[in-house]
Amino acid sequence: MPQDAALLIIDVQRDFCPGGSLAVPEGDRVVPVLNRYMELFRSRRLPIFASRDWHPADTSHFSDHGGIWPVHCVRDSEGARFHPDLQLPADAIVISKGNDPSRDDYSAFQGVTDSGIPFPVVLKERGISRLYVSGLATDYCVKESVLEGIRHGLSVTLLIDATRGVDLHPGDSAKAIEEMTRAGARTATIASLEDLPAL
Ligand code: VGL
Ligand code: ZN
């Protein structure tokens, strides 16, 4: 069975879910289906990465410092925690991004592991060439991560039943999906993957 695939779950954190400070409409709806994706990847012994937005309090990403967003996912805060129902396995690899106070860092490829290893380096070390991308938000971090993955030469599949968008402007998420597929991303759902003998 090929071992070059991995699951990437983007930013399924409290602040991006209903009740959070930058709530994505229906953001929490991705959680049950992501639990199924994680089960599937675990059963095939494929790695699971979970990125998190992890900002300092005084970043230019926030509107009180010149950016466009309300304060969200300040590192170590309650709002920055993963959704409580997301069943991340103990060996999931957490990727933190947005640490730099002068950059937005929408893409998980700008992130680092707990020991400071850049995400692209971890992918290379593990021989991962195919990424299955999911999470929040479709029109920002998911889109940027998918496009950057393709630029890095990876084969990227967007899990369309496990992503939701901000839609700051109506239609942004639909446009983002179009842009990702035009760039070469494939799409899949849990049913289509569960039916495959190997990912
Ligand atoms: C995100 C807006 C601001 C995301 C992060 O994770 O998509 N969106 N910061
Ligand atoms: Zn952010």
Side-chain angles (χ1 to χ4, degrees), residues 169-188:
H169 310 286
D172 278 356
S173 296
K175 254 189 270 172
I177 293 175
E178 218 179 276
E179 198 178 330
M180 291 183 258
T181 51
R182 215 181 313 120
R186 294 164 218 258
T187 58

Side-chain angles (χ1 to χ4, degrees), residues 7-193:
L7 177 64
L8 171 59
I9 299 173
I10 308 264
D11 302 2
V12 180
Q13 293 163 272
R14 287 172 181 258
D15 272 343
F16 292 128
C17 291
S21 64
L22 180 42
V24 174
E26 300 187 340
D28 56 340
R29 298 271 288 270
V30 302
V31 172
V33 67
L34 279 173
N35 287 336
R36 284 176 68 188
Y37 277 113
M38 285 190 277
E39 197 47 53
L40 179 67
F41 277 73
R42 282 189 71 182
S43 72
R44 310 212 172 166
R45 303 196 184 290
L46 296 171
I48 297 170
F49 294 93
S51 77
R52 62 183 181 186
D53 222 23
W54 201 244
H55 298 301
D58 56 356
T59 169
S60 61
H61 186 63
F62 295 160
S63 50
D64 56 0
H65 288 79
I68 64 168
W69 302 109
V71 173
H72 63 275
C73 299
V74 172
R75 54 194 181 208
D76 296 313
S77 69
E78 270 302 300
R81 297 174 85 100
F82 290 116
H83 189 287
D85 299 333
L86 189 70
Q87 286 157 18
L88 279 177
D91 60 356
I93 301 159
V94 173
I95 303 291
S96 303
K97 64 181 174 61
N99 252 309
D100 185 325
S102 62
R103 293 202 323 228
D104 285 310
D105 275 357
Y106 291 121
S107 161
F109 284 80
Q110 314 290 323
V112 296
T113 64
D114 288 344
S115 49
I117 304 169
F119 182 48
V121 173
V122 185
L123 293 176
K124 197 159 274 175
E125 278 174 358
R126 291 178 162 245
I128 292 161
S129 58
R130 294 180 301 131
L131 267 189
Y132 290 82
V133 184
S134 60
L136 309 173
T138 316
D139 37 356
Y140 289 92
C141 290
V142 170
K143 180 179 91 171
E144 294 306 325
S145 303
V146 163
L147 294 178
E148 198 163 0
I150 293 169
R151 284 199 294 273
H152 279 252
L154 303 173
S155 153
V156 181
T157 302
L158 173 67
L159 303 175
I160 45 172
D161 51 354
T163 185
R164 292 290 189 284
V166 183
D167 284 323
L168 221 47
H169 310 286
D172 278 356
S173 296
K175 254 189 270 172
I177 293 175
E178 218 179 276
E179 198 178 330
M180 291 183 258
T181 51
R182 215 181 313 120
R186 294 164 218 258
T187 58
T189 59
I190 186 72
S192 66
L193 292 194

